[in-house]
Amino acid sequence: MKYKAEVKVTLKNGVRDPQGAAVDTVLRRTGLEDSANVQVGKYFTLTVTADNDKDAKIKLDEICHDVLSNPVLESYEIGRLETV
Amino acid sequence: MKYKAEVKVTLKNGVRDPQGAAVDTVLRRTGLEDSANVQVGKYFTLTVTADNDKDAKIKLDEICHDVLSNPVLESYEIGRLETV
C-alpha cells in the first residue's frame, strides 16, 4: 500500500534560529507584530510504500532520521498518515 | 490575548520543486523509497497579539500573505491556533 505522510522538521530547543529572528525583525519593522517569536522549520509531504501502517511508520522514521533531518540540531514530527 | 499558530507554506501545483526532486533522488539511490514524490515547504510557528480569534486570523493572514509566503508561487495554510 501507498501511504502519504506529512513531516515537520524543527530546530531543537536552544538551537539558534537566525531565519526566525530575521522574520521577527521584519514583522516588528513593518508594524505587523511586536514580538512574534517566529520559528522556522521545514515541511515535507511524501509517499512511501509499505504493507501496513506500522511498517510505513518505521520506514518514515528511517527516512526522517537519515535524510530529512539533522538529528543533532533538529527534531521531526510525522503526522497525517493516509493511504492513497 | 496572545495566540500561537502554525503555518505551512507550500509550492502551488505546477511549480517546479527542485529541492523535493533532490530528496527523491537521494531516497531512490539509498534504496529507501523508489518514488516518494517528496514536496518541500516551510513550516513556521509564531505568536500574535489580538483581541479575539477572528482578529488573530486576520492578522495571521496578513503576515502569511505579506511576509511568510510568496503568493505568486506559494500557498499557505494556517493551523492549530491556540491561546497562550
Side-chain angles (χ1 to χ4, degrees):
Chain A
M1 279 203 285
K2 282 260 182 196
Y3 292 86
K4 189 173 181 183
E6 58 162 37
V7 174
K8 299 166 197 166
V9 175
T10 49
L11 289 172
K12 285 185 178 168
N13 279 340
V15 178
R16 276 186 65 231
D17 183 356
Q19 225 183 329
V23 180
D24 267 339
T25 306
V26 170
L27 294 180
R28 204 162 38 241
R29 281 200 193 149
T30 54
L32 283 165
E33 180 64 39
D34 271 345
S35 66
N37 191 26
V38 180
Q39 291 179 298
V40 183
K42 280 172 281 183
Y43 176 74
F44 300 91
T45 57
L46 72 165
T47 313
V48 295
T49 311
D51 291 336
N52 52 52
D53 280 34
K54 201 184 149 211
D55 286 356
K57 274 180 191 156
I58 293 171
K59 198 181 225 183
L60 281 165
D61 252 329
E62 198 181 351
I63 290 175
C64 289
H65 184 274
D66 293 356
V67 181
L68 302 184
S69 74
N70 171 349
V72 178
L73 301 174
E74 297 169 326
S75 54
Y76 60 83
E77 188 190 324
I78 300 168
R80 274 197 213 167
L81 200 63
E82 54 190 48
T83 51
V84 284
Chain B
M1 280 204 286
K2 283 262 184 192
Y3 292 86
K4 190 174 181 182
E6 58 162 37
V7 173
K8 299 166 197 165
V9 176
T10 49
L11 289 172
K12 285 185 177 168
N13 280 340
V15 178
R16 277 186 64 231
D17 184 356
Q19 224 182 331
V23 179
D24 268 339
T25 306
V26 170
L27 293 180
R28 206 164 32 242
R29 280 201 194 146
T30 53
L32 283 165
E33 181 63 39
D34 271 344
S35 66
N37 190 25
V38 180
Q39 293 178 297
V40 183
K42 280 172 281 183
Y43 176 73
F44 300 90
T45 57
L46 71 165
T47 313
V48 295
T49 312
D51 290 336
N52 52 52
D53 280 35
K54 202 186 148 209
D55 285 357
K57 274 180 192 156
I58 292 170
K59 197 181 226 184
L60 281 165
D61 251 329
E62 198 181 350
I63 290 174
C64 289
H65 184 275
D66 293 355
V67 180
L68 302 184
S69 74
N70 171 349
V72 178
L73 301 173
E74 298 169 326
S75 53
Y76 61 84
E77 188 189 325
I78 300 167
R80 273 195 212 168
L81 200 63
E82 54 189 48
T83 51
V84 285

